[in-house]
Amino acid sequence: MFADRAKIFIRSGKGGDGHVSFRKELYVPCGGPDGGDGGRGGDLIFEVDEGLNTLSDFRHIHKYAAKDGEPGGKRRCHGKDGESLIVKVPEGTVIKDFESGKVIADMSGENRREVILKGGRGGQGNMNFATPTMQAPKYAQPGQQAQELWVQLELKVIADVGLVGFPNVGKSTLLSRVSNAKPKIANYHFTTLNPHLGVVDLDGGKGFVMADIPGLIEGASEGVGLGHDFLRHIERTRVLVHVVDAASTEGRDPIADIHAINKELGSYNPELLQRPQIIAANKMDAVYGEDENPIEKLKAEFEPQGIKVFPISAVSGQGVRELLYAVSELLQTVNLSPVIFEKEFDLRGLVEKQLPYTVEVTDDGVYVVEGPRIDKMLGYTNIESEKGFRFFQNFLKDNGILEELEQAGIQEGDTVRMYGLEFDYYK
């Protein structure tokens, strides 16, 4: 199966914690603090790989994490920076936030490499906090937490022209005739299960890339048939070619087919209806009898709307050259820059993952604040020092803990307990 979607978990590296240590050498009095800084966490990077054309590599590996920075050491040793992780994707991959569906990055055009999640900065060692009044700080800064996110990868093929139409109308046959693409061709519905790309070469260097988009039927925009899986591949195309069975070999009405396909395109993305369109009335070699000419019906219906109709036979080659040059001329009238999806998800608003905590009131009126965030903070803070106590106060304020205590009804003089620490609350 053609893999064009994947859900994966990505994580940058956590910054290494700063170190707390003091220089102790023989004959060196008052050595002072010498705890080194932690290393920076690795970045999570996406990069285009020209050798990839599907997202099949993500079927078995769903988690991608950069390396954490190493903690600082004594003797002012700086922790090693974490190694960044480069995730290779095919060109045309759109990275979206899984929860909101907003675009984070489009790996197309000139965007070949992008840092999606930045690694956490390393924490400063206690050597950075020495002052004339605080010559022996017993605390260090923790490393910044890693950023993590579930993302949806969607591969949208990059083609100038998209062939659309009901199954078994000859899209694959047409693509195989005008390019070196080798799609599967057979006389049954849904022969083509994967989008196929082909390069059409014309005189004067006016060639273009054509894509056969499979599986479009009525209800495709709602998930019927294969259309829901492959409609996304039409979004990058600049010109749409409706391939219809002009001979009605299966009893279908080509005019009704075009209206039905346009209805599905509009339901999926109304902007698709603004793209220039051409009608390729295929299977003209199978038109017999004295019946009314189907080409005249098609022209009467669509050419007043500015949509030209070209009778062709993909099997014999009849009219194909005229169709290709008309498509080439139409391409010259539209924006030739690739269709790039704008960023919608602001990674700057992605706050680093916060450890939880709880605020509870005991039967005897003591306010208990506990949780991994509190335990971690107490582990690197020396509250007995003046600077450490100020840091502790700012921590309670910046993390909203004081606000939660007030919402819980705390009054001046009430007792607050944090693991082994107890203190009276005063504003």
Side-chain angles (χ1 to χ4, degrees), residues 18-223:
H19 188 69
V20 176
S21 63
F22 295 89
R23 183 181 178 190
K24 296 179 181 179
E25 295 182 30
L26 193 61
Y27 309 121
V28 181
C30 304
D34 70 348
D37 300 339
R40 187 179 182 278
D43 296 331
L44 197 290
I45 304 170
F46 276 78
E47 186 174 271
V48 171
D49 186 339
E50 303 290 349
L52 298 177
N53 53 21
T54 73
L55 298 176
S56 58
D57 291 348
F58 299 96
R59 280 187 171 179
H60 307 292
I61 303 177
H62 302 288
K63 294 188 177 182
Y64 296 81
K67 298 293 185 181
D68 295 338
E70 294 185 358
K74 56 185 179 180
R75 298 182 181 177
R76 298 177 175 263
C77 288
H78 193 290
K80 182 180 178 181
D81 290 344
E83 184 178 350
S84 296
L85 178 65
I86 299 176
V87 180
K88 300 293 185 70
V89 294
E91 184 176 6
T93 301
V94 179
I95 307 165
K96 296 182 177 181
D97 173 49
F98 182 78
E99 291 187 1
S100 66
K102 293 183 177 180
V103 175
I104 297 174
D106 185 354
M107 307 304 295
S108 306
E110 298 180 356
N111 189 23
R112 320 302 289 180
R113 177 186 173 100
E114 183 163 345
V115 177
I116 302 299
L117 299 180
K118 291 189 176 181
R121 66 175 182 274
Q124 293 182 315
N126 70 331
M127 66 177 184
N128 298 281
F129 298 103
T131 66
T133 58
M134 178 60 63
Q135 298 182 6
K138 298 179 181 179
Y139 50 87
Q141 185 182 38
Q144 189 179 30
Q145 290 294 319
Q147 293 183 331
E148 54 187 45
L149 196 63
W150 281 97
V151 297
Q152 179 84 32
L153 305 182
E154 291 185 358
L155 177 59
K156 302 175 188 285
V157 298
I158 299 176
D160 302 306
V161 179
L163 299 178
V164 296
F166 275 74
N168 211 29
V169 295
K171 299 188 299 297
S172 298
T173 304
L174 175 59
L175 183 65
S176 66
R177 169 164 284 277
V178 302
S179 73
N180 288 326
K182 302 297 181 184
K184 184 178 180 180
I185 299 173
N187 188 27
Y188 56 84
H189 289 192
F190 298 114
T191 310
T192 304
L193 297 178
N194 306 328
H196 287 281
L197 296 179
V199 178
V200 179
D201 291 322
L202 297 177
D203 297 337
K206 295 182 179 180
F208 51 85
V209 179
M210 180 180 284
D212 171 13
I213 310 297
L216 298 187
I217 62 175
E218 290 180 88
S221 61
E222 300 174 358

Side-chain angles (χ1 to χ4, degrees), residues 290-333:
E290 302 298 330
D291 296 337
E292 186 177 353
N293 189 342
I295 301 302
E296 297 303 324
K297 288 185 177 181
L298 287 167
K299 287 185 176 181
E301 177 73 18
F302 294 103
E303 288 200 344
Q305 304 175 30
I307 304 175
K308 292 185 177 181
V309 178
F310 290 84
I312 69 166
S313 170
V315 172
S316 67
Q318 171 192 346
V320 170
R321 181 180 178 86
E322 291 78 6
L323 171 68
L324 296 181
Y325 276 96
V327 170
S328 178
E329 290 178 7
L330 192 56
L331 279 171
Q332 306 308 312
T333 66

Side-chain angles (χ1 to χ4, degrees), residues 145 354-358 369-380 395 419:
Q145 290 294 319
Q354 295 284 2
L355 297 173
Y357 68 90
T358 58
V369 184
E370 293 181 340
R373 194 188 311 185
I374 307 302
D375 187 31
K376 181 178 179 180
M377 181 273 301
L378 293 175
Y380 60 71
F395 174 86
Y419 293 100

Side-chain angles (χ1 to χ4, degrees), residues 375-388:
D375 187 31
K376 181 178 179 180
M377 181 273 301
L378 293 175
Y380 60 71
T381 304
N382 178 20
I383 299 181
E384 296 180 0
S385 67
E386 179 184 352
K387 192 169 183 179

